[in-house]
Amino acid sequence: MTGTAPVPFTADDYKARMERAARQAADAGLAGLLVAPGPDLVWLTGYAPPAVTERLTLLVLAAGREPVLVVPTLEAPDAEKATGAPALTLRDWTDGKDPYALTAALLDGRGRFGVSDNAWALHLLGLQQALPGTSYVSLTEVLPMLRAVKDAAELERLAAAGAAADAAFEEIRNVRFSGRRESEVAADLAALLRRFGHAQVDFTIVASGPNGANPHHEAGDRRIERGDMVVLDFGGLKDGYGSDTSRTVHVGEPTEEERRVHDLVREAQEAGFRAVRPGAACQDVDRAARAVIAGAGYGAYFIHRTGHGIGVTTHEPPYMIEGEERPLVPGMCFSVEPGVYLPGRFGVRIEDIVTVTEDGGRRLNETEREMVIVD
């Protein structure tokens, strides 16, 4: 099952995104945006270079000016095929020429520019040398919500990615866990994500027994035993958009304490979800989930934020964390994933992707949240 192909994005979609980005940059007091290869470039133009090299590739956006994509000549044919290419101008440069001089001619020599987070220092330093009067700030710092509000087509892709991850969980719960290595179950999960349409698998956490107390445990050689709690956290990209879900299963019958902690995390996850509504602050989601766990005496064992945004990457703003006062807006998508981690013993995490609707929230993951018993 891979599902039907999503409706393709058009050149007009990318044009609208670039115009919105340039407008937001101007509103933030910036002379423009400089976008290097990576998720921002793909989201803005539909272009992903065939390989990320030391050769400069840079999208230049400024309000009131046509977007320009600076590319190496040998990669220009690929850039011309990008869906968003009709909405921008290509400026190519050949080996032996100075790409920074070419780019500098497009920039305000005394401007302050937002730069995509993954731009190479090599390129930023080259621009600074060509234009010593310029200054730069990271996109995450100055425009953290640039990609945060998804349109209907993006929400459709996120929902399809979530459904594919759910299908993978429904399959993995039926495999044998006891006696197998974590890495073997993780390989099963990765194969299932691909079978259900994921082109990229970003992570398959399988954390059994005491390893479950490490939220970012790397699946290893530990053999899963009967009596283990096992945290499963997995996701990746399907049709360019992310999935990320967590469920905690138990091998055989759990103890009373294990069931109690699992029920507590499930209650906290439900409280976090119910806090989702337009106008609420991001931190309200964290507070709602955390209050449940702290009220039961396990507050010291909930050691990470409650959630993170998701879109063309599996982790992006906004973040559901204390101190984040930005309001939730319909179309935002993020995880709600409280957990309890008892060192040397076990951990529990339950995670859904949630999108903000006009009157509340909608889950994009619908697999069982009650404790699942596996063999």
Side-chain angles (χ1 to χ4, degrees):
M1 181 198 83
T2 58
T4 58
V7 175
F9 296 124
T10 67
D12 285 342
D13 292 326
Y14 291 116
K15 179 181 180 181
R17 291 178 186 179
M18 287 189 279
E19 288 175 346
R20 174 155 59 97
R23 187 168 59 250
Q24 289 184 12
D27 291 344
L30 299 175
L33 301 180
L34 306 177
V35 184
D40 290 313
L41 185 64
V42 172
W43 183 77
L44 286 163
T45 69
Y47 176 54
V52 178
T53 73
E54 73 285 357
R55 293 183 174 94
L56 178 72
T57 296
L58 201 67
L59 175 67
V60 179
L61 296 177
R65 299 179 61 181
E66 186 173 13
V68 177
L69 181 62
V70 177
V71 295
T73 300
L74 76 169
E75 293 176 3
D78 294 301
E80 290 170 350
K81 296 175 186 175
T83 304
L88 52 78
T89 296
L90 288 178
R91 297 282 181 86
D92 65 305
W93 62 277
T94 58
D95 288 350
K97 301 294 185 181
D98 184 354
Y100 307 114
L102 171 63
T103 307
L106 305 171
L107 307 181
D108 175 352
R110 305 199 64 79
R112 182 170 180 260
F113 294 89
V115 181
S116 55
D117 297 356
N118 54 345
W120 285 25
L122 171 72
H123 300 320
L124 192 58
L125 291 169
L127 286 175
Q128 285 180 318
Q129 186 173 10
L131 293 173
T134 54
S135 60
Y136 304 90
V137 62
S138 76
L139 272 186
T140 291
E141 179 180 342
V142 72
L143 292 180
M145 298 295 108
L146 179 62
R147 304 194 317 252
V149 178
K150 276 65 180 180
D151 62 26
E154 291 181 291
L155 290 174
E156 180 183 340
R157 293 185 186 217
L158 283 161
D166 284 356
F169 176 73
E170 294 295 354
E171 291 282 338
I172 202 70
R173 63 183 288 181
N174 295 317
V175 309
R176 184 167 185 82
F177 279 69
S178 61
R180 301 180 69 210
R181 292 184 174 88
E182 293 174 339
S183 57
E184 293 173 323
V185 177
D188 287 346
L189 261 177
L192 286 166
L193 286 171
R194 292 191 177 94
R195 189 212 300 178
F196 293 120
H198 281 65
Q200 176 178 314
V201 176
D202 288 338
F203 48 89
T204 51
I205 293 173
V206 178
S208 63
N211 289 340
N214 176 2
H216 283 172
H217 171 69
E218 292 280 345
D221 289 335
R222 183 182 186 275
R223 289 195 181 274
I224 301 169
E225 303 172 355
R226 293 196 68 79
D228 278 348
M229 196 85 88
V230 184
V231 179
L232 305 174
D233 183 354
F234 50 97
L237 297 181
K238 180 181 185 295
D239 296 317
Y241 281 75
S243 68
D244 186 0
T245 188
S246 300
R247 294 293 185 263
T248 303
V249 301
H250 198 277
V251 186
E253 286 300 314
T255 65
E256 181 179 339
E257 181 190 21
E258 288 171 332
R259 192 174 289 280
R260 184 174 68 251
V261 172
H262 190 280
D263 286 346
L264 174 66
V265 174
R266 181 170 53 83
E267 181 184 348
Q269 207 269 347
E270 178 68 19
F273 169 68
R274 292 192 178 280
V276 176
R277 63 186 183 279
C282 291
Q283 68 181 4
D284 293 342
V285 179
D286 183 84
R287 288 175 174 179
R290 201 168 298 277
V292 172
I293 292 173
Y298 287 88
Y301 304 107
F302 181 8
I303 56 176
H304 55 72
R305 64 197 175 204
T306 293
H308 58 82
I310 189 168
V312 293
T313 58
T314 50
H315 282 208
E316 62 186 44
Y319 298 103
M320 307 301 112
I321 189 171
E322 180 66 31
E324 180 51 86
E325 297 180 349
R326 286 187 177 85
L328 299 179
V329 175
M332 284 183 173
C333 289
F334 48 84
S335 65
V336 178
E337 52 176 308
V340 168
Y341 308 93
L342 303 177
R345 302 180 62 203
F346 65 88
V348 177
R349 181 164 64 258
I350 300 172
E351 173 186 15
D352 294 325
I353 299 302
V354 173
T355 183
V356 185
T357 64
E358 294 296 333
D359 57 2
R362 175 169 69 97
R363 299 181 193 267
L364 301 187
N365 296 105
E366 290 294 352
T367 52
E368 189 173 349
R369 297 175 196 90
E370 301 283 345
M371 181 178 287
V372 170
I373 307 300
V374 298
D375 289 330

